[in-house]
């Protein structure tokens, strides 16, 4: 399963919104109304990735509510309502319904 | 918490064993992953073992060369890597899995990674 993210890089002014897309080559939902096995991670410079969102839209504990995940089937989006300096890093989507695969990553920087 | 071993070096054709000690949770309760990442590239899944230990899966790129083990009594995980090549050079992460649907199929155990270790840099020299 191929995960395709866009854009690959993003420069955003502090306080402005940001949006990242992740598209899967196969549907990540097993049955109608089911949850998608899609997670979002942020890897800050020099650190391991950490979980932001799972099953496409559930925020992990401690993740600020400015992060919102949405989507179903093959198309998913991560939105940051107001970018802060600490949001800088590389964002990855990952599917866990099939043999796990990651997107190429989207680098977020401050303009 | 998930803690990996320090940086390791091996020659091409050689072997290495990575270790990962876990605390605050039982390996019986979680799928566990090994994921590697070449600096500047996206992570690549390497292997996973189910909460029961009854299912193990490997990426095609390492199948037949890498073996995942777990020790329930020590609450530790290891990855035995053989026939190493330069393509195996990467940071290797031990990671804990979670799920909404606790299911393993013929190709994977469904879910996601909810906690990543610090990573171990593996360098394979020719």
């Amino acid at each position: 399963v191929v995960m395709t993210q866009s854009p690959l890089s993003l420069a955003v002014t502090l306080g402005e919104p940001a949006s990242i897309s992740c598209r899967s080559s196969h549907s990540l939902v097993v049955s109608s109304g089911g949850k998608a096995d899609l997670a979002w991670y942020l890897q800050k410079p020099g650190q391991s990735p950490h979980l932001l969102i799972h099953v496409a839209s559930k925020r992990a504990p401690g993740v600020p509510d400015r992060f919102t995940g949405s989507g179903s089937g093959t198309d998913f989006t991560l939105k940051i309502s107001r970018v802060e300096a600490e949001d800088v890093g590389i964002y990855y989507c990952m599917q866990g319904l099939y043999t796990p695969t990651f997107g190429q990553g989207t680098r977020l920087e401050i303009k | 918490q998930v803690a990996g071993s320090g940086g390791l070096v091996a020659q091409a054709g050689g072997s290495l064993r990575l270790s990962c000690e876990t605390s605050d949770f039982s390996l019986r309760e979680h799928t566990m992953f090994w994921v590697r990442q070449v600096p500047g590239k996206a992570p690549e899944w390497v292997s996973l073992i189910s909460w029961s230990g009854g299912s193990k899966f490997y990426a095609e790129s390492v199948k037949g060369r890498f073996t995942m083990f777990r020790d329930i009594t020590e609450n530790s995980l290891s990855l035995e890597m053989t026939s190493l090549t330069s393509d195996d050079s990467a940071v290797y992460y031990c990671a804990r899995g979670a799920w909404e649907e606790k299911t393993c199929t013929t190709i994977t155990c469904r879910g996601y990674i909810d906690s990543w270790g610090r990573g171990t840099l593996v360098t394979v020299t020719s």
Side-chain angles (χ1 to χ4, degrees):
Chain A
V1 176
V2 178
M3 306 300 289
T4 303
Q5 289 182 230
S6 62
L8 298 183
S9 65
L10 198 51
V12 181
T13 302
L14 286 172
E16 293 297 304
S19 181
I20 300 170
S21 170
C22 175
R23 180 164 290 177
S24 173
S25 61
H26 292 63
S27 175
L28 300 182
V29 176
V30 173
S31 59
S32 177
K35 296 175 181 176
D37 280 332
L38 187 284
W40 288 97
Y41 300 89
L42 167 59
Q43 186 171 31
K44 297 183 179 182
Q47 297 184 15
S48 307
H50 70 268
L51 178 68
L52 295 173
I53 301 285
H54 61 101
V55 292
S57 61
K58 277 191 182 180
R59 269 188 297 271
V63 174
D65 60 9
R66 65 178 182 275
F67 290 92
T68 301
S70 63
S72 186
T74 59
D75 291 311
F76 302 90
T77 303
L78 177 69
K79 292 184 178 177
I80 309 172
S81 59
R82 294 174 304 279
V83 170
E84 298 189 5
E86 65 182 21
D87 301 336
V88 164
I90 303 176
Y91 291 79
Y92 295 100
C93 60
M94 177 197 131
Q95 66 80 19
L97 179 59
Y98 308 96
T99 300
T101 47
F102 293 84
Q104 323 96 299
T106 296
R107 183 180 300 273
L108 176 68
E109 61 180 30
I110 303 300
K111 194 183 294 183
Chain B
Q1 292 186 348
V2 181
S5 38
L8 300 169
V9 180
Q11 287 196 321
S15 301
L16 278 177
R17 190 177 184 103
L18 303 184
S19 63
C20 171
E21 294 186 3
T22 64
S23 59
D24 302 328
F25 67 93
S26 170
L27 294 180
R28 285 196 182 95
E29 300 296 321
H30 291 269
T31 301
M32 294 297 295
F33 292 76
W34 286 98
V35 176
R36 67 186 181 185
Q37 185 177 31
V38 174
K41 302 290 186 183
E44 176 194 17
W45 169 75
V46 173
S47 65
L48 69 85
I49 184 169
S50 65
W51 56 91
S52 68
S55 296
K56 294 181 190 180
F57 300 98
Y58 299 91
E60 285 297 324
S61 58
V62 307
K63 200 174 287 185
R65 301 188 300 121
F66 289 13
T67 307
M68 202 168 174
F69 298 97
R70 73 175 193 176
D71 185 329
I72 291 294
T73 58
E74 297 288 327
N75 223 37
S76 66
L77 204 65
S78 59
L79 184 68
E80 184 76 29
M81 307 187 295
T82 64
S83 302
L84 288 164
T85 74
S86 57
D87 288 342
D88 296 316
S89 295
V91 175
Y92 283 73
Y93 295 100
C94 171
R96 187 181 75 178
W99 58 79
E100 287 286 314
E101 295 237 5
K102 195 174 183 179
T103 304
C104 289
T105 66
T106 57
I107 60 171
T108 194
C109 293
R110 288 180 60 181
Y112 56 96
I113 292 171
D114 73 344
S115 179
W116 299 66
R118 288 191 298 268
T120 298
L121 178 61
V122 170
T123 304
V124 181
T125 62
S126 54

